[in-house]
Coordinates of all heavy atoms in Angstrom, one line a residue:
M1 N -59.6 137.5 121.4 CA -58.2 137.0 121.7 C -57.3 138.1 122.1 O -56.5 138.0 122.9 CB -57.7 136.2 120.5 CG -56.3 135.6 120.8 SD -56.5 134.3 122.0 CE -54.9 133.7 122.0
R2 N -57.5 139.3 121.4 CA -56.6 140.4 121.6 C -56.8 141.0 123.1 O -55.8 141.4 123.7 CB -56.9 141.5 120.6 CG -56.0 142.7 120.8 CD -56.4 143.7 119.7 NE -55.8 145.0 120.1 CZ -54.8 145.6 119.5 NH1 -54.2 144.9 118.4 NH2 -54.3 146.7 119.8
K3 N -58.0 140.9 123.6 CA -58.3 141.4 124.9 C -57.6 140.5 126.0 O -57.0 141.0 127.0 CB -59.8 141.4 125.2 CG -60.5 142.5 124.6 CD -61.9 142.6 124.9 CE -62.7 143.6 124.2 NZ -64.1 143.7 124.6
H4 N -57.6 139.2 125.7 CA -56.9 138.3 126.6 C -55.4 138.5 126.6 O -54.7 138.4 127.6 CB -57.2 136.8 126.2 CG -58.7 136.5 126.4 ND1 -59.3 136.5 127.6 CD2 -59.6 136.1 125.4 CE1 -60.6 136.2 127.4 NE2 -60.8 135.9 126.1
T5 N -54.8 138.8 125.4 CA -53.4 139.0 125.3 C -53.0 140.3 126.1 O -52.0 140.3 126.8 CB -53.0 139.1 123.9 OG1 -53.4 137.9 123.2 CG2 -51.5 139.3 123.7
F6 N -53.8 141.3 125.9 CA -53.6 142.6 126.6 C -53.7 142.4 128.1 O -52.8 142.9 128.9 CB -54.5 143.7 126.1 CG -54.4 145.0 126.8 CD1 -53.3 145.8 126.5 CD2 -55.2 145.4 127.8 CE1 -53.1 147.0 127.2 CE2 -55.1 146.6 128.5 CZ -54.0 147.4 128.2
A7 N -54.7 141.7 128.6 CA -54.8 141.4 130.0 C -53.7 140.6 130.6 O -53.2 140.9 131.7 CB -56.2 140.7 130.3
L8 N -53.3 139.6 129.9 CA -52.1 138.8 130.4 C -50.8 139.6 130.4 O -50.1 139.5 131.3 CB -52.0 137.5 129.5 CG -53.1 136.5 129.7 CD1 -52.9 135.3 128.7 CD2 -53.1 135.9 131.1
T9 N -50.6 140.4 129.4 CA -49.4 141.2 129.3 C -49.4 142.2 130.4 O -48.4 142.4 131.1 CB -49.3 141.9 127.9 OG1 -49.3 140.9 126.9 CG2 -48.0 142.7 127.8
S10 N -50.5 142.9 130.6 CA -50.7 143.9 131.7 C -50.4 143.2 133.1 O -49.7 143.8 133.9 CB -52.0 144.5 131.6 OG -52.2 145.2 130.4
G11 N -51.1 142.1 133.3 CA -50.9 141.4 134.6 C -49.5 141.0 134.8 O -48.9 141.1 135.9
F12 N -48.8 140.5 133.8 CA -47.4 140.0 133.9 C -46.5 141.2 134.2 O -45.6 141.2 135.0 CB -47.0 139.3 132.6 CG -45.5 138.9 132.7 CD1 -45.1 137.8 133.5 CD2 -44.6 139.6 131.9 CE1 -43.8 137.5 133.5 CE2 -43.2 139.2 132.0 CZ -42.9 138.1 132.8
A13 N -46.7 142.3 133.5 CA -45.9 143.5 133.7 C -46.1 144.1 135.1 O -45.1 144.5 135.8 CB -46.3 144.6 132.7
A14 N -47.3 144.1 135.6 CA -47.6 144.6 137.0 C -46.9 143.7 138.0 O -46.3 144.2 138.9 CB -49.1 144.7 137.2
A15 N -47.1 142.4 137.8 CA -46.5 141.4 138.8 C -45.0 141.5 138.7 O -44.3 141.5 139.8 CB -46.9 140.0 138.4
L16 N -44.4 141.7 137.6 CA -42.9 141.8 137.5 C -42.4 143.1 138.1 O -41.4 143.1 138.8 CB -42.5 141.8 136.0 CG -41.0 141.8 135.7 CD1 -40.3 140.5 136.3 CD2 -40.8 141.9 134.2
T17 N -43.1 144.2 137.9 CA -42.7 145.4 138.6 C -42.8 145.3 140.1 O -41.9 145.8 140.8 CB -43.6 146.6 138.1 OG1 -43.6 146.6 136.6 CG2 -43.2 147.9 138.6
I18 N -43.9 144.8 140.6 CA -44.1 144.6 142.1 C -43.0 143.7 142.6 O -42.4 143.9 143.7 CB -45.5 144.1 142.4 CG1 -46.5 145.2 142.0 CG2 -45.6 143.7 143.9 CD1 -47.9 144.8 142.1
L19 N -42.7 142.6 141.9 CA -41.6 141.7 142.3 C -40.3 142.4 142.4 O -39.5 142.3 143.4 CB -41.5 140.5 141.4 CG -40.4 139.5 141.6 CD1 -40.6 138.8 142.9 CD2 -40.3 138.5 140.5
C20 N -39.9 143.2 141.4 CA -38.7 143.9 141.3 C -38.6 144.9 142.5 O -37.6 145.0 143.2 CB -38.5 144.7 140.0 SG -38.2 143.6 138.6
M21 N -39.7 145.6 142.8 CA -39.7 146.6 143.9 C -39.6 145.9 145.2 O -38.9 146.3 146.1 CB -40.9 147.4 143.8 CG -41.0 148.4 142.7 SD -39.7 149.6 142.6 CE -40.1 150.6 144.0
G22 N -40.2 144.7 145.3 CA -40.0 143.9 146.5 C -38.6 143.4 146.8 O -38.1 143.5 147.9
L23 N -38.0 143.0 145.7 CA -36.6 142.5 145.8 C -35.7 143.7 146.2 O -34.7 143.5 147.0 CB -36.1 141.9 144.5 CG -36.8 140.5 144.2 CD1 -36.4 140.0 142.8 CD2 -36.5 139.5 145.3
I24 N -35.9 144.9 145.6 CA -35.1 146.0 145.9 C -35.3 146.4 147.4 O -34.4 146.7 148.1 CB -35.4 147.2 145.0 CG1 -34.9 146.9 143.6 CG2 -34.8 148.5 145.5 CD1 -35.3 147.9 142.5
G25 N -36.5 146.4 147.8 CA -36.9 146.7 149.2 C -36.2 145.7 150.2 O -35.8 146.1 151.3
E26 N -36.1 144.4 149.8 CA -35.5 143.4 150.7 C -34.0 143.6 150.8 O -33.4 143.3 151.8 CB -35.8 142.0 150.2 CG -37.2 141.6 150.4 CD -37.5 141.4 151.9 OE1 -36.7 140.8 152.6 OE2 -38.6 141.7 152.3
T27 N -33.4 144.0 149.7 CA -31.9 144.2 149.7 C -31.5 145.5 150.4 O -30.3 145.5 150.9 CB -31.3 144.1 148.3 OG1 -31.9 145.2 147.5 CG2 -31.6 142.8 147.6
S28 N -32.3 146.5 150.4 CA -31.9 147.7 151.1 C -32.3 147.6 152.6 O -33.4 147.3 152.9 CB -32.6 148.9 150.5 OG -34.0 148.8 150.6
K29 N -31.3 147.8 153.4 CA -31.5 147.6 154.8 C -32.1 148.8 155.6 O -32.7 148.6 156.6 CB -30.2 147.2 155.5 CG -29.7 145.9 155.0 CD -28.4 145.5 155.6 CE -27.9 144.2 155.0 NZ -26.7 143.7 155.5
D30 N -31.9 149.9 155.0 CA -32.4 151.1 155.8 C -33.8 151.5 155.5 O -34.4 152.2 156.3 CB -31.4 152.3 155.4 CG -30.0 152.1 156.0 OD1 -29.9 151.4 156.9 OD2 -29.1 152.7 155.4
W31 N -34.3 151.2 154.3 CA -35.7 151.6 154.0 C -36.3 150.7 153.0 O -35.6 150.1 152.2 CB -35.6 153.1 153.4 CG -34.6 153.3 152.4 CD1 -33.3 153.4 152.5 CD2 -34.9 153.4 151.0 NE1 -32.7 153.6 151.3 CE2 -33.6 153.6 150.3 CE3 -36.0 153.3 150.2 CZ2 -33.5 153.7 149.0 CZ3 -35.9 153.5 148.8 CH2 -34.7 153.7 148.2
G32 N -37.6 150.6 153.1 CA -38.3 149.7 152.2 C -39.0 150.5 151.1 O -39.5 151.6 151.3
L33 N -39.0 149.9 149.9 CA -39.7 150.6 148.8 C -41.1 150.1 148.5 O -41.8 150.8 147.8 CB -38.8 150.4 147.5 CG -37.5 151.0 147.5 CD1 -36.7 150.7 146.2 CD2 -37.6 152.5 147.5
L34 N -41.4 148.9 148.9 CA -42.7 148.3 148.6 C -43.8 148.9 149.5 O -43.7 148.8 150.7 CB -42.6 146.8 148.7 CG -43.8 146.0 148.2 CD1 -44.0 146.3 146.7 CD2 -43.7 144.6 148.5
M35 N -44.8 149.5 148.8 CA -45.9 150.1 149.6 C -47.2 149.5 149.0 O -47.3 149.1 147.9 CB -45.9 151.6 149.3 CG -44.7 152.3 149.7 SD -44.7 154.0 149.2 CE -44.4 153.8 147.5
A36 N -48.2 149.4 149.8 CA -49.5 148.9 149.4 C -50.1 149.6 148.2 O -50.6 149.0 147.3 CB -50.4 148.8 150.6
P37 N -50.1 151.0 148.2 CA -50.7 151.7 147.1 C -49.9 151.5 145.8 O -50.4 151.8 144.7 CB -50.6 153.2 147.5 CG -50.5 153.1 149.0 CD -49.7 151.9 149.3
F38 N -48.7 151.1 145.9 CA -47.9 150.9 144.7 C -48.5 149.8 143.8 O -48.5 149.9 142.6 CB -46.4 150.5 145.0 CG -45.6 150.4 143.8 CD1 -45.2 151.6 143.1 CD2 -45.2 149.2 143.3 CE1 -44.4 151.5 142.0 CE2 -44.4 149.1 142.2 CZ -44.0 150.2 141.6
G39 N -49.0 148.8 144.4 CA -49.7 147.7 143.7 C -50.9 148.2 142.9 O -51.1 147.9 141.8
A40 N -51.7 149.1 143.6 CA -52.9 149.6 142.9 C -52.4 150.5 141.8 O -53.1 150.5 140.7 CB -53.7 150.4 143.9
S41 N -51.4 151.3 141.9 CA -50.9 152.1 140.8 C -50.4 151.3 139.7 O -50.6 151.7 138.5 CB -49.7 153.0 141.3 OG -50.2 153.9 142.3
C42 N -49.8 150.1 139.9 CA -49.4 149.3 138.8 C -50.6 148.7 138.1 O -50.5 148.6 136.8 CB -48.5 148.1 139.4 SG -46.9 148.6 139.8
V43 N -51.6 148.3 138.8 CA -52.8 147.8 138.1 C -53.4 148.9 137.2 O -53.8 148.6 136.1 CB -53.8 147.3 139.2 CG1 -55.1 147.0 138.5 CG2 -53.3 146.1 139.9
I44 N -53.5 150.1 137.7 CA -54.1 151.2 136.9 C -53.2 151.5 135.8 O -53.7 151.7 134.6 CB -54.3 152.4 137.8 CG1 -55.4 152.2 138.8 CG2 -54.7 153.6 137.0 CD1 -55.6 153.3 139.8
A45 N -51.9 151.6 136.0 CA -51.0 152.0 134.9 C -50.9 151.0 133.8 O -50.9 151.3 132.6 CB -49.6 152.3 135.5
F46 N -50.8 149.7 134.2 CA -50.7 148.7 133.2 C -52.0 148.2 132.6 O -52.1 147.8 131.5 CB -49.9 147.5 133.8 CG -48.5 147.8 134.0 CD1 -48.0 147.7 135.3 CD2 -47.6 148.2 133.0 CE1 -46.6 148.0 135.6 CE2 -46.3 148.5 133.3 CZ -45.8 148.4 134.6
G47 N -53.0 148.2 133.5 CA -54.3 147.7 133.0 C -55.2 148.7 132.3 O -56.0 148.3 131.4
L48 N -55.1 149.9 132.6 CA -55.8 151.0 132.0 C -54.9 152.1 131.5 O -55.0 153.2 132.0 CB -56.9 151.6 133.0 CG -57.9 150.6 133.6 CD1 -58.6 151.2 134.7 CD2 -58.8 150.1 132.5
P49 N -54.1 151.8 130.5 CA -53.1 152.9 130.1 C -53.6 154.1 129.5 O -53.0 155.2 129.6 CB -52.2 152.1 129.1 CG -53.0 151.0 128.6 CD -54.0 150.6 129.7
N50 N -54.9 154.1 129.0 CA -55.4 155.3 128.4 C -56.3 156.1 129.4 O -56.8 157.2 129.0 CB -56.3 154.9 127.2 CG -55.5 154.3 126.1 OD1 -54.3 154.6 125.9 ND2 -56.1 153.3 125.4
S51 N -56.4 155.6 130.6 CA -57.2 156.4 131.6 C -56.4 157.6 132.0 O -55.2 157.6 132.1 CB -57.4 155.4 132.8 OG -57.9 156.2 133.9
P52 N -57.1 158.7 132.4 CA -56.4 159.9 132.9 C -55.7 159.6 134.2 O -54.7 160.3 134.4 CB -57.6 160.9 133.1 CG -58.7 160.4 132.3 CD -58.6 158.9 132.1
L53 N -56.2 158.7 135.0 CA -55.5 158.4 136.2 C -54.2 157.6 136.0 O -53.3 157.6 136.9 CB -56.4 157.5 137.1 CG -57.7 158.2 137.6 CD1 -58.6 157.2 138.4 CD2 -57.4 159.4 138.4
A54 N -54.0 157.0 134.9 CA -52.8 156.2 134.6 C -51.7 157.0 134.0 O -50.7 156.4 133.7 CB -53.2 155.0 133.7
Q55 N -51.9 158.3 133.8 CA -50.8 159.1 133.2 C -49.7 159.3 134.2 O -49.9 159.4 135.4 CB -51.4 160.4 132.7 CG -52.5 160.3 131.7 CD -52.2 159.4 130.5 OE1 -51.1 159.6 129.9 NE2 -53.0 158.4 130.3
A56 N -48.5 159.3 133.7 CA -47.3 159.3 134.6 C -47.3 160.6 135.5 O -47.0 160.4 136.7 CB -46.0 159.3 133.7
K57 N -47.7 161.7 135.0 CA -47.7 162.9 135.8 C -48.7 162.7 137.0 O -48.4 163.2 138.1 CB -48.1 164.1 135.0 CG -49.5 164.1 134.5 CD -49.8 165.4 133.8 CE -51.2 165.4 133.3 NZ -51.6 166.5 132.6
N58 N -49.8 162.1 136.8 CA -50.8 161.9 137.9 C -50.2 160.9 139.0 O -50.4 161.2 140.2 CB -52.1 161.4 137.4 CG -52.8 162.5 136.5 OD1 -52.6 163.7 136.7 ND2 -53.6 162.0 135.6
I59 N -49.6 159.9 138.5 CA -49.0 158.9 139.5 C -47.9 159.5 140.2 O -47.8 159.4 141.5 CB -48.6 157.6 138.7 CG1 -49.9 156.9 138.2 CG2 -47.8 156.7 139.6 CD1 -49.6 155.7 137.3
V60 N -47.0 160.2 139.5 CA -45.8 160.7 140.2 C -46.2 161.9 141.2 O -45.7 161.9 142.3 CB -44.8 161.2 139.2 CG1 -43.6 162.0 139.8 CG2 -44.2 160.0 138.4
L61 N -47.1 162.8 140.7 CA -47.5 163.9 141.6 C -48.3 163.3 142.8 O -48.1 163.9 143.9 CB -48.3 164.9 140.8 CG -47.5 165.8 139.8 CD1 -48.5 166.7 139.1 CD2 -46.5 166.6 140.6
G62 N -49.0 162.3 142.6 CA -49.8 161.7 143.7 C -48.8 161.2 144.8 O -49.0 161.4 146.0
Y63 N -47.8 160.5 144.3 CA -46.8 160.0 145.3 C -46.0 161.1 145.9 O -45.7 161.1 147.1 CB -45.8 159.0 144.6 CG -46.4 157.6 144.6 CD1 -46.8 157.0 143.3 CD2 -46.7 156.9 145.7 CE1 -47.4 155.8 143.3 CE2 -47.2 155.6 145.6 CZ -47.6 155.1 144.4 OH -48.2 153.8 144.4
L64 N -45.6 162.2 145.2 CA -44.9 163.3 145.8 C -45.7 164.0 146.8 O -45.2 164.4 147.9 CB -44.5 164.3 144.7 CG -43.4 163.8 143.8 CD1 -43.1 164.8 142.7 CD2 -42.1 163.5 144.5
I65 N -47.0 164.2 146.6 CA -47.9 164.8 147.6 C -48.0 163.9 148.8 O -47.9 164.4 149.9 CB -49.3 165.1 147.0 CG1 -49.2 166.2 145.9 CG2 -50.3 165.4 148.1 CD1 -50.5 166.4 145.1
T66 N -48.1 162.6 148.6 CA -48.2 161.7 149.7 C -46.9 161.7 150.6 O -46.9 161.7 151.8 CB -48.4 160.3 149.2 OG1 -49.6 160.3 148.5 CG2 -48.6 159.3 150.4
I67 N -45.8 161.8 149.9 CA -44.5 161.8 150.6 C -44.4 163.1 151.4 O -43.9 163.2 152.5 CB -43.3 161.7 149.6 CG1 -43.2 160.3 149.0 CG2 -42.0 162.1 150.2 CD1 -42.3 160.2 147.8
L68 N -44.8 164.2 150.8 CA -44.7 165.5 151.5 C -45.6 165.5 152.7 O -45.2 166.0 153.8 CB -45.2 166.6 150.5 CG -45.2 168.1 151.1 CD1 -43.8 168.5 151.4 CD2 -45.8 169.0 150.1
V69 N -46.8 165.0 152.6 CA -47.7 165.0 153.8 C -47.1 164.0 154.8 O -47.1 164.4 156.0 CB -49.1 164.5 153.3 CG1 -50.0 164.1 154.5 CG2 -49.8 165.5 152.5
G70 N -46.6 162.9 154.4 CA -45.9 162.0 155.4 C -44.8 162.6 156.1 O -44.6 162.5 157.3
L71 N -43.9 163.4 155.4 CA -42.8 164.0 156.0 C -43.2 165.1 157.0 O -42.6 165.3 158.0 CB -41.8 164.6 155.0 CG -41.0 163.5 154.2 CD1 -40.2 164.1 153.1 CD2 -40.1 162.7 155.1
V72 N -44.2 165.9 156.6 CA -44.7 166.9 157.5 C -45.3 166.3 158.7 O -45.0 166.8 159.9 CB -45.8 167.8 156.7 CG1 -46.5 168.7 157.7 CG2 -45.1 168.6 155.7
R73 N -46.1 165.2 158.6 CA -46.6 164.6 159.8 C -45.5 164.0 160.7 O -45.6 164.0 161.9 CB -47.6 163.5 159.4 CG -48.9 164.0 158.7 CD -50.0 164.2 159.6 NE -50.2 163.1 160.5 CZ -51.1 163.0 161.4 NH1 -51.8 164.1 161.6 NH2 -51.2 162.0 162.2
L74 N -44.5 163.4 160.0 CA -43.4 162.8 160.8 C -42.7 163.8 161.6 O -42.2 163.5 162.7 CB -42.5 162.1 159.8 CG -41.3 161.4 160.5 CD1 -41.8 160.2 161.3 CD2 -40.4 160.8 159.4
N75 N -42.5 165.0 161.1 CA -41.8 166.1 161.8 C -42.6 167.0 162.7 O -42.1 168.0 163.2 CB -41.0 166.9 160.8 CG -39.9 166.1 160.1 OD1 -39.2 165.4 160.8 ND2 -39.8 166.2 158.8
T76 N -43.8 166.6 162.9 CA -44.7 167.4 163.8 C -45.0 166.5 165.1 O -44.7 165.3 165.1 CB -46.0 167.8 163.2 OG1 -46.7 166.7 162.8 CG2 -45.8 168.7 162.0
K77 N -45.5 167.2 166.0 CA -45.9 166.5 167.3 C -47.1 165.6 167.1 O -47.4 164.8 168.0 CB -46.1 167.5 168.4 CG -45.0 168.4 168.7 CD -44.1 167.8 169.7 CE -43.0 168.8 170.0 NZ -41.9 168.2 170.7
L78 N -47.8 165.7 166.0 CA -49.0 164.9 165.9 C -48.8 163.4 165.8 O -49.6 162.6 166.2 CB -49.8 165.3 164.6 CG -50.2 166.8 164.6 CD1 -50.8 167.1 163.2 CD2 -51.3 167.0 165.6
V79 N -47.6 163.0 165.3 CA -47.3 161.6 165.1 C -46.7 161.0 166.4 O -46.8 159.8 166.7 CB -46.4 161.4 163.9 CG1 -46.0 160.0 163.7 CG2 -47.1 161.9 162.6
Q80 N -46.0 161.8 167.1 CA -45.2 161.3 168.2 C -46.1 161.0 169.4 O -47.0 161.8 169.7 CB -44.1 162.2 168.6 CG -43.1 162.5 167.5 CD -42.1 163.5 167.8 OE1 -42.2 164.2 168.8 NE2 -41.1 163.7 166.9
S81 N -45.9 159.9 170.1 CA -46.6 159.6 171.3 C -45.6 159.1 172.4 O -44.4 159.0 172.1 CB -47.7 158.5 171.0 OG -47.1 157.3 170.7
N82 N -46.1 158.6 173.5 CA -45.3 158.1 174.5 C -44.6 156.8 174.1 O -43.6 156.5 174.7 CB -46.1 157.9 175.8 CG -46.6 159.2 176.4 OD1 -46.0 160.3 176.1 ND2 -47.7 159.2 177.1
R83 N -45.2 156.1 173.2 CA -44.6 154.8 172.8 C -43.6 154.9 171.6 O -43.2 154.0 171.0 CB -45.7 153.8 172.4 CG -46.6 153.5 173.6 CD -47.7 152.6 173.2 NE -48.7 153.4 172.6 CZ -49.6 153.0 171.7 NH1 -49.6 151.8 171.3 NH2 -50.5 153.8 171.2
G84 N -43.3 156.1 171.2 CA -42.4 156.4 170.1 C -43.3 156.9 168.9 O -44.3 157.4 169.0
L85 N -42.7 156.6 167.7 CA -43.4 157.1 166.5 C -44.6 156.2 166.2 O -44.6 155.0 166.6 CB -42.5 157.1 165.3 CG -41.3 158.1 165.4 CD1 -40.4 158.0 164.2 CD2 -41.9 159.5 165.5
F86 N -45.5 156.6 165.5 CA -46.8 156.0 165.0 C -47.7 156.0 166.2 O -48.7 155.7 166.4 CB -46.5 154.5 164.5 CG -45.4 154.5 163.5 CD1 -44.3 153.8 163.7 CD2 -45.6 155.1 162.3 CE1 -43.3 153.8 162.8 CE2 -44.6 155.1 161.3 CZ -43.4 154.4 161.6

């Protein structure tokens, strides 16, 4: 029974977090906060809290590295084409 309670609590917490981020993303007009990998991070963080991948430093540093790579690509000629960005 304890495993079921933990699974339900983890699932509810992940769904609530994704819902809140989605609502924040809908209300902000200039930029969206909801990303596909964010859902995977929620599942790992809430479903496997003792895993080394679920530690806050790994999640935050992973997103910071991704943001840095995205900004570098955005500001280089590699992303720009005749049709605009992307």
Side-chain angles (χ1 to χ4, degrees):
M1 182 69 174
R2 182 179 165 108
K3 288 183 182 182
H4 297 296
T5 304
F6 179 74
L8 289 173
T9 305
S10 298
F12 178 74
L16 184 65
T17 304
I18 293 171
L19 175 68
C20 289
M21 292 299 290
L23 291 174
I24 291 170
E26 287 292 320
T27 58
S28 63
K29 296 180 181 180
D30 293 334
W31 49 285
L33 292 176
L34 189 61
M35 303 171 284
F38 184 74
S41 296
C42 283
V43 170
I44 291 172
F46 292 118
L48 302 168
N50 294 329
S51 169
L53 296 175
Q55 303 307 310
K57 66 178 180 179
N58 293 332
I59 292 174
V60 171
L61 286 176
Y63 278 112
L64 288 176
I65 291 170
T66 303
I67 290 168
L68 179 65
V69 169
L71 289 174
V72 167
R73 294 268 308 177
L74 182 65
N75 291 314
T76 62
K77 302 271 185 197
L78 298 174
V79 177
Q80 298 174 355
S81 68
N82 293 336
R83 295 178 280 155
L85 295 178
F86 309 113

